[in-house]
Amino acid sequence: MDELFYFIIAKYNYWAALVLLFIGLFGMIVKNNLMKKIIGMVIFQTAILLFIVSIGVKRGATVPILQFSPDKQPLLDATAYANPLPHVLILTAIVVGVAVLGVALALLQKIQRVHGTIEEDEILEDMRK
Amino acid sequence: MTWDTSLLWQFDILILLMMVICAVTALALEGLLSSAIVTGAYSFLICLMWTHMRAVDVAFTEAAVGAAISTVLFLGTAQYVNRWIKKDRPREQGIKQITLVIAVICAVMMLNATRDLPEWADPASPASTHLSPRYIEQAYFETATPNVVTAVLADYRSYDTMFEAVVVFAAALVVMVVLRRTSHKHRMALHLRPKRAGRDTVLRGAAQSIIPVMQIFALYVLFHGHYSPGGGFQGGVIFGASFILLALCYNLKFSMNRFREHAVLWCCAGGVLLYAGIGAACLAMGWNFLGYGALAGVLGVSDVMARSHGILAVEIGVGITVMAVMVSLYNDLASGGDLEEGL
């Protein structure tokens, strides 16, 4: 019983990231409405970000901002701070993510203007005409 | 095997479950407006998750970008399209089921592969034992910056950050190119925009008292990024959000009188130029591109302090670009490109 418990709590973050990854991918493939596809893309993206930050978590570690002893010396124990590298990568990825979202929504508005709809099958019918 | 109780796994599992529910709901709802709101809620939940995983800088960015700006951009676009999605036809139901089966098979295979991943939160995992200890142990002596995330972002990986700023800048240009040229035939879509009637005294009063505080806070976040969570990206987004709030509570014309189109474009380009210019200045003085140690002679400080000041300078560049790009994205997307009226 204990082993099963440790198996679950040792991996649950990765599982959640994978479940979200497939929910997002499923939305991107199956949904007919382009706005829903973009929401699927956002979920897909955050799932990947969740996975990468999960890699940098350390048990018993604090935020990666150095703490100082009373005599102004930094406390430099690498196991006491979370891994800063995934945080840097994800921080910039989130801002780039909103830029990508902006471009996607701009294209969506353009499609609406040209075809009068954002439903995939209606756009295809409109293009065949 | 011991388990550290400071990472409350029950709490984690609860948040992750709520995230999965939000993700499914956002995709399943029929109204696009409600989908956008649920996506915002999803962002807040993942923000809690970041905080809990000790990624405070990431949580800060997510709260400003994912929960605030993304939701506004979704709502701004939703006013130009049909807000209710069409019901699927029976033929598509079949495709849906096949895709679901394939997705579940792939998911099971990948879940099986997680057995090979290092245990979650293991301090001895490969990701935490090679490069990152060096950053944590050396960053303060090399850059005089206690926030290791800021030091890595703007010093060790500053090329990366510079091109992220370029990508954000390019996105603003693309949105402009796509939306600005609206032919007469296609202007019809813009008539879907609801007319804003009257003025809302409560909203305007609230905006008047919140916006100055927001802007000062944004500057604090930017300049205090060396010592606390924050930096150019977060400060820039909050500053941009203050202009978006102004446009939401008054109207787009009003906010564009305060922060004109020309100024927005100059800021978009100026931030990237400031960043690249500092890199080029270092190169001109015989150091590497973005080797801030070169600035020591000019500023009259030690090499280590010069790197700290260099980080601040490029963070200001990033902040200016991100601020202007967020305002530009809102202006274009919420007005459909004609800059007449926003959300």
Side-chain angles (χ1 to χ4, degrees):
Chain A
M1 187 60 209
D2 255 15
E3 274 180 20
L4 181 70
F5 175 73
Y6 281 124
F7 180 66
I8 291 171
I9 63 173
K11 300 282 158 115
Y12 65 85
N13 240 37
Y14 301 132
W15 294 349
L18 279 175
V19 169
L20 287 170
L21 190 83
F22 278 97
I23 290 173
L25 188 65
F26 183 69
M28 273 164 84
I29 296 171
V30 161
K31 284 289 163 182
N32 195 34
N33 186 296
L34 295 185
M35 189 93 137
K36 292 279 183 177
K37 280 187 195 280
I38 295 176
I39 290 175
M41 186 185 80
V42 170
I43 292 166
F44 189 81
Q45 183 197 3
T46 47
I48 295 167
L49 306 186
L50 182 65
F51 181 74
I52 297 177
V53 174
S54 299
I55 289 172
V57 179
K58 287 181 207 164
R59 203 176 296 136
T62 180
V63 297
I65 298 171
L66 297 181
Q67 295 178 330
F68 290 84
S69 57
D71 54 342
K72 305 276 188 241
Q73 286 305 305
L75 304 170
L76 295 171
D77 176 15
T79 52
Y81 302 103
N83 185 348
L85 194 54
H87 299 187
V88 174
L89 303 177
I90 296 320
L91 193 160
T92 47
I94 289 175
V95 178
V96 170
V98 78
V100 170
L101 176 69
V103 173
L105 290 175
L107 291 172
L108 183 84
Q109 289 192 20
K110 194 77 177 177
I111 289 169
Q112 165 75 31
R113 278 180 210 167
V114 174
H115 297 290
T117 174
I118 53 165
E119 302 285 342
E120 197 185 1
D121 52 349
E122 290 175 7
I123 294 166
L124 289 174
E125 271 170 33
D126 191 54
M127 284 165 80
R128 283 199 198 94
K129 270 184 217 161
Chain B
M1 187 155 70
T2 56
W3 187 257
D4 173 31
T5 46
S6 74
L7 289 168
L8 289 168
W9 58 273
Q10 297 94 333
F11 194 57
D12 269 2
I13 289 178
L14 190 67
I15 297 173
L16 290 168
L17 263 180
M18 279 163 73
M19 275 172 63
V20 171
I21 293 169
C22 274
V24 173
T25 317
L27 287 170
L29 281 172
E30 281 177 26
L32 290 183
L33 288 179
S34 33
S35 275
I37 301 293
V38 175
T39 315
Y42 173 85
S43 279
F44 272 121
L45 287 171
I46 201 166
C47 188
L48 280 177
M49 203 60 216
W50 298 141
T51 320
H52 202 222
M53 297 199 297
R54 314 291 190 258
V56 274
D57 285 89
V58 181
F60 207 157
T61 319
E62 180 73 37
V65 172
I69 308 268
S70 296
T71 311
V72 170
L73 294 185
F74 269 124
L75 295 180
T77 300
Q79 58 182 337
Y80 298 108
V81 299
N82 186 0
R83 283 170 218 177
W84 300 95
I85 66 165
K86 200 171 55 104
K87 282 273 179 194
D88 288 346
R89 295 178 205 158
R91 185 176 61 84
E92 282 150 7
Q93 291 290 353
I95 297 172
K96 215 175 189 175
Q97 281 156 5
I98 295 168
T99 319
L100 186 63
V101 170
I102 295 172
V104 167
I105 291 171
C106 292
V108 169
M109 281 160 73
M110 283 178 79
L111 283 173
N112 191 29
T114 57
R115 286 191 307 176
D116 295 338
L117 286 171
E119 188 190 306
W120 190 59
D122 183 6
S125 71
S128 303
T129 46
H130 291 89
L131 188 57
S132 79
R134 191 204 171 279
Y135 285 145
I136 293 169
E137 282 155 12
Q138 298 298 320
Y140 185 70
F141 300 111
E142 291 178 351
T143 64
T145 306
N147 185 350
V148 186
V149 174
T150 304
V152 177
L153 180 88
D155 191 307
Y156 297 108
R157 297 189 68 92
S158 50
Y159 271 64
D160 196 350
T161 311
M162 186 176 92
F163 286 105
E164 304 267 12
V166 174
V167 167
V168 172
F169 170 67
L173 289 190
V174 170
V175 171
M176 244 174 249
V177 170
V178 169
L179 284 181
R180 285 292 167 89
R181 279 175 56 88
T182 310
S183 67
H184 190 69
K185 195 178 114 199
H186 297 142
R187 281 211 170 266
M188 292 307 287
L190 298 180
H191 294 307
L192 290 171
R193 181 164 58 203
K195 286 280 168 280
R196 186 89 72 84
R199 46 181 292 173
D200 194 326
T201 315
V202 175
L203 265 184
R204 291 184 175 194
Q208 273 177 1
S209 48
I210 289 173
I211 287 170
V213 182
M214 263 177 95
Q215 295 186 338
I216 292 172
F217 179 64
L219 292 176
Y220 166 77
V221 167
L222 203 168
F223 287 100
H224 209 256
H226 287 51
Y227 304 98
S228 63
F233 283 106
Q234 294 92 334
V237 173
I238 296 172
F239 212 95
S242 74
F243 284 104
I244 294 176
L245 185 64
L246 191 68
L248 287 174
C249 294
Y250 286 71
N251 52 48
L252 191 62
K253 281 267 158 68
F254 186 85
S255 80
M256 287 188 69
N257 275 332
R258 295 292 182 283
F259 193 26
R260 289 186 182 281
E261 183 66 17
H262 267 289
V264 174
L265 293 178
W266 274 108
C267 286
C268 276
V272 177
L273 278 178
L274 175 63
Y275 201 136
I278 287 166
C282 298
L283 197 63
M285 282 185 263
W287 286 58
N288 285 330
F289 189 72
L290 291 168
Y292 308 128
L295 305 172
V298 182
L299 298 170
V301 290
S302 66
D303 277 10
V304 173
M305 273 318 282
R307 286 177 79 165
S308 176
H309 293 323
I311 290 173
L312 181 62
V314 300
E315 290 265 25
I316 291 171
V318 168
I320 292 172
T321 298
V322 169
M323 180 260 298
V325 167
M326 292 304 145
V327 174
S328 171
L329 284 181
Y330 171 79
N331 286 353
D332 283 316
L333 285 170
S335 73
D338 69 349
L339 303 179
E340 289 293 322
E341 194 175 2
L343 193 58

